[in-house]
Amino acid sequence: MGDRSQRAPGLGHLAALRARGAAATGGSRTPGEGTRRLDFDDPASLDLTGVATLVLVSAGYAEDDHVIRRHAAVLDAASRDGVRHVVYTSVTTAGDHLGFAPAHRATERLVRACGPSWTILRNGLYAELFGGLLMWAGDAVESPFGDGALAAVVREDLADAAAIVAADPAAHSGRVHDLVGTPITAGQVADRLGVPHRAIGLGKYRRRLGEEMPGLLPFQPPMPASIATGIRHGFLDGTTPDLTDLLGRPARDPLATAVAAAAAMRTASPRRRTDPAGGPARR
């Protein structure tokens, strides 16, 4: 169960849990079939009675204090209503410098202190996000990533990993899994697309964010900018075996997924570029 602000979130996690035969129910402020209403901004809606294991998908799209307050309210409800285990989807260990990391690390502290046993999944950045952040300029791809690589992960693999942990939480109690993937570069994506890749400076990238994503809220531009400098300067290319160990199989190919995302952006309107959380930019 989880919430991701205005979207019906955690749907991949929910499908993965149900595919494993779990009696799983989703939660969102805009619930649909098979989900219940859980609005992180409405404490009265946070009824977790009967929930044994809570998969808490981080609630983005707000300033850090707002996000942490949301998470604290859910964790208070989990403790009150008898939840036995909390699985929290955080950000990769290598991402401490990212603009959205403080809310994740603060929430990890809350998870450890809230009462139920816990598992923290430090998710790597999505391959879908990496491809979506590439920018088309005619028949070439531009990016602020230079020759840097990202140990990207396909979102579906992260959903599968969360389902595996939630299906047997006792086996993962008190553990932190660093779920990163295979390093890929913007140049590799461009090669697969059969087009050149041109690196741009970080200053130019910030200017283009303002021009091509005019609907960004004040706290959002530092998020993709921090991703850009992290990739460019080699902070996000490290790998661990945690993901494949959890999955018990090879991970899906992040390069193919990033290529598909970049190709989709080629025909998208500039005003529908990818937002910092990996979805279409909201208006």
Side-chain angles (χ1 to χ4, degrees), residues 162-188:
I164 288 166
V165 170
D168 186 15
H172 304 276
S173 181
R175 297 185 64 182
V176 177
H177 294 295
D178 199 20
L179 305 182
V180 293
T182 304
I184 61 175
T185 68
Q188 289 174 318

Side-chain angles (χ1 to χ4, degrees), residues 189-204:
V189 174
D191 286 346
R192 287 276 188 99
L193 291 166
V195 300
H197 169 244
R198 293 196 294 261
I200 63 173
L202 294 171
K204 182 175 180 179

Side-chain angles (χ1 to χ4, degrees), residues 7-220:
R7 294 189 289 176
L11 295 180
H13 299 81
L14 189 58
L17 280 163
R18 289 174 175 169
R20 299 183 67 83
T25 300
S28 170
R29 68 171 56 182
T30 54
E33 184 178 356
T35 63
R36 67 170 71 175
R37 181 174 182 270
L38 289 178
D39 185 344
F40 289 5
D41 294 319
D42 178 11
S45 75
L46 301 178
D47 180 4
L48 300 178
T49 304
V51 175
T53 299
L54 173 69
V55 179
L56 176 57
V57 180
S58 55
Y61 299 120
E63 296 283 0
D64 287 349
D65 55 345
H66 195 170
V67 172
I68 295 165
R69 185 165 62 248
R70 288 171 172 167
H71 291 170
V74 178
L75 293 170
D76 286 346
S79 180
R80 178 197 68 209
D81 294 339
V83 172
R84 295 196 293 272
H85 193 95
V86 174
V87 180
Y88 176 61
T89 62
S90 187
V91 69
T92 174
T93 303
D96 279 347
H97 65 285
L98 293 172
F100 42 91
H104 282 295
R105 297 296 180 251
T107 301
E108 289 183 14
R109 293 179 181 178
L110 295 175
V111 168
R112 289 182 170 98
C114 73
S117 63
W118 53 268
T119 306
I120 292 169
L121 304 180
R122 288 186 168 176
N123 291 347
L125 299 187
Y126 305 147
E128 294 88 342
L129 172 62
F130 185 75
L133 288 175
L134 300 179
M135 299 171 292
W136 286 93
D139 291 327
V141 165
E142 294 184 341
S143 84
F145 304 140
D147 296 326
L150 171 68
V153 191
V154 177
R155 292 181 70 167
E156 194 172 354
D157 277 345
L158 295 174
D160 287 347
I164 288 166
V165 170
D168 186 15
H172 304 276
S173 181
R175 297 185 64 182
V176 177
H177 294 295
D178 199 20
L179 305 182
V180 293
T182 304
I184 61 175
T185 68
Q188 289 174 318
V189 174
D191 286 346
R192 287 276 188 99
L193 291 166
V195 300
H197 169 244
R198 293 196 294 261
I200 63 173
L202 294 171
K204 182 175 180 179
Y205 181 57
R206 288 180 187 272
R207 290 192 296 273
R208 288 187 65 170
L209 285 174
E211 294 167 358
E212 299 188 13
M213 300 174 67
L216 287 180
L217 299 172
F219 66 88
Q220 289 182 307

